Amino acid sequence: MEKKNAPQRNSKRPAASVKGKRSQAKAPGGKPAKGKAPKGGAGKPGAKAVKRASAKAPAGSGRVKDQAKAPGCKLCAVFGRCGGCSLLDMPYRAQLIEKQQLVIDLFAPLANLTALRPILGMDDPFHYRNKVVSPYAPGRKAAAQPRRGKAAARPQARREILTGMYAKGTHQLIPTDTCALENETAKAITLVVRDLMRRWDIAPYDEDTGEGFMRHCVVRVGHSSGEVLVTLVTNDDEFPSSKSFCRELTRRAPAITTVVQNVNTRQTNVILGEKERVLFGPGFILDELCGLSFRISSHSFYQVNVAQTEVLYREAVALADLRGSETVIDAYCGTGTIGLVAARAGAGRVIGVDNVESAIRDAQQNARHNRIDNAEFMALDASAFMAALAVKRAGDEREDGAALADRSNAAPADASATSAGAPADDLVLMMDPPRAGSTERFLDAAVRLAPSRIVYISCNPVSQARDVAYLVERGYRVEVVRPVDMFPHTDHVECICKLVRA
């Protein structure tokens, strides 16, 4: 589910969103899971919120959008101002029904109604984000505090230090001390860093002037391991008193297992820079996902909702129906998480392809770390790789110079020979493209390769439905459509679609 840029084909299908959409039906085949109130929070939404969510409203009325203008809700004082979530004042069951209906509307023209399965929601849809990114910014002028001894010689921070979330679509910082979605340990650590910045007179970064030292604090918490990685993003290589700062940070937040300084001196909205140094601990954490162990550093991609990622991956691998002899192509594989799960779950061989070299290095490291020897990962363009395999399978020697270049660059001899030579019945395609969806070149190659099963995972059901329609028109049949709620209280919905040759 690593999302990268990809060209988007023309589509007549309009954009869809949970916002402003009113469901007229319950999810087919069963009831969505109910959500619990956040631990230590203010409880479930009050009667007023429930009444709003259940009131009749025509489709496209903008009801959710109008609610977002309201000043907060019982679960969050800054709801409607902060850009972190948009559906927090809607009961979780109602959110699931609307997301289910969105998927039904998109896929009903493409699949039998029996293929549309109920959405998989969370039992506890709060504090699920195990990665918290908190920017720091200067606020109002702060009054100078009298100090004694050596501290009196150091210049004092002249402004308040703000941290929280940006208002949607802006760089206006909305200060927050709590969040219903973020991991509570991680959120508390960002506040400890803010308090220590005041004590150490560390100035927050000012985006307008490019001045200030501390830009961001990025905290990652292992879902299973509980290990905590703190990355302090600074505007300068020099970090005075870094040892004493880290000593006090880990004393106040003993859950921390490692601290890394990341240096980013560019005037950009990109959070991380290239240069890093370890200030405390090993510089990485370990966590478990679907029975596999993953090493996570500050630059590593790792799902922010591990609990639902396990639900998503197990469902996708189950739909792949692996029996031990299949070659699985894991297209747009990112750091290889789903490919490694498939390799461990019964695939004969897994070939992962992605055009991000750093992600492929992580995938290869993850395979070695888990002692998986039936999976390999290559830094290649997925569309070019698939086209080269299709050419090799067809034995077509009439390709032009560009195709030959693609073939030589896209598919090393051993990988292409094995996957292209495998019978179609033993070939399974798993694909997880970026939000824009796949390319026509990729889909055309997939049709020519004719894998027996295609398992298509997407964070954007609109582009997914467009691509699925292309495959259906060329001989595939939709067997299963399964939405998964990866990000409760937001408009986003993940969706798995299984296709088989008709």
Side-chain angles (χ1 to χ4, degrees), residues 34 39 65 67 166 175 310 337 350 378 464 476:
K34 295 182 179 179
K39 298 174 183 177
K65 185 176 181 181
Q67 287 178 12
Y166 288 118
E310 289 196 334
T337 47
V350 173
M378 294 174 283
Q464 183 185 34
Y476 276 86

Side-chain angles (χ1 to χ4, degrees), residues 200-411:
W200 261 260
D201 295 319
I202 295 175
Y205 180 69
D206 188 327
E207 286 189 337
D208 295 329
T209 65
E211 298 177 348
F213 182 73
M214 193 71 74
R215 299 176 69 129
H216 290 85
C217 176
V218 183
V219 185
R220 309 179 85 155
V221 181
H223 176 72
S224 298
S225 68
E227 296 182 9
V228 178
L229 164 65
V230 176
T231 303
L232 302 173
V233 185
T234 64
N235 191 38
D236 196 345
D237 195 15
E238 292 288 328
F239 193 160
S241 304
S242 60
K243 289 185 178 180
S244 57
F245 185 94
C246 287
R247 188 162 50 246
E248 184 64 14
L249 175 60
T250 54
R251 187 188 71 80
R252 294 195 186 190
I256 296 173
T257 51
T258 189
V259 182
V260 172
Q261 178 192 2
N262 177 279
V263 181
N264 185 0
T265 59
R266 297 171 296 170
Q267 284 194 280
T268 174
N269 58 4
V270 176
I271 294 172
L272 296 178
E274 296 299 322
K275 186 175 181 180
E276 289 191 346
R277 64 167 57 90
V278 178
L279 302 180
F280 171 78
F284 62 88
I285 61 174
L286 298 175
D287 197 29
E288 188 173 295
L289 175 67
C290 293
L292 299 175
S293 177
F294 291 91
R295 174 172 164 159
I296 306 162
S297 64
S298 59
H299 280 276
S300 299
F301 174 85
Y302 196 62
Q303 294 294 341
V304 300
N305 186 350
V306 176
Q308 282 298 89
T309 299
E310 289 196 334
V311 171
L312 180 81
Y313 285 3
R314 292 189 192 282
E315 180 74 7
V317 171
L319 292 176
D321 192 21
L322 302 175
R323 304 182 182 102
S325 61
E326 297 90 349
T327 293
V328 175
I329 299 175
D330 181 12
Y332 311 97
C333 68
T335 56
T337 47
I338 194 166
L340 292 173
V341 173
R344 180 64 60 84
R349 187 186 188 196
V350 173
I351 301 171
V353 182
D354 198 286
N355 63 356
V356 179
E357 292 187 4
S358 61
I360 291 299
R361 286 194 297 270
D362 282 344
Q364 293 166 342
Q365 170 62 34
N366 287 330
R368 289 191 295 268
H369 180 67
N370 287 279
R371 299 181 180 179
I372 293 176
D373 57 10
N374 62 330
E376 59 186 293
F377 299 94
M378 294 174 283
L380 302 166
D381 177 76
S383 296
F385 177 82
M386 291 288 288
L389 289 187
V391 167
K392 189 171 185 67
R393 167 162 284 186
D396 186 355
E397 299 299 333
R398 295 170 296 176
E399 64 265 38
D400 58 19
L404 283 169
D406 282 340
R407 178 173 171 178
S408 61
N409 291 330

Side-chain angles (χ1 to χ4, degrees), residues 108-188:
L110 303 172
N112 190 295
L113 286 178
T114 58
L116 304 175
R117 298 188 180 177
I119 189 169
L120 299 176
M122 295 191 74
D123 290 332
D124 184 359
F126 297 97
H127 303 299
Y128 59 81
R129 296 189 66 91
N130 57 40
K131 177 182 177 182
V132 173
V133 180
S134 282
Y136 297 101
R140 296 177 299 180
K141 288 186 177 180
Q145 300 295 324
R147 297 182 297 178
R148 298 178 181 177
K150 294 182 180 180
R154 297 200 303 264
Q156 294 192 52
R158 298 179 180 178
R159 292 184 177 274
E160 293 179 339
I161 299 173
L162 306 179
T163 188
M165 298 283 288
Y166 288 118
K168 187 174 182 179
T170 76
H171 271 226
Q172 176 191 355
L173 194 61
I174 306 296
T176 58
D177 286 352
T178 61
C179 178
L181 306 191
E182 294 176 336
N183 179 281
E184 293 171 290
T185 297
K187 182 63 176 178

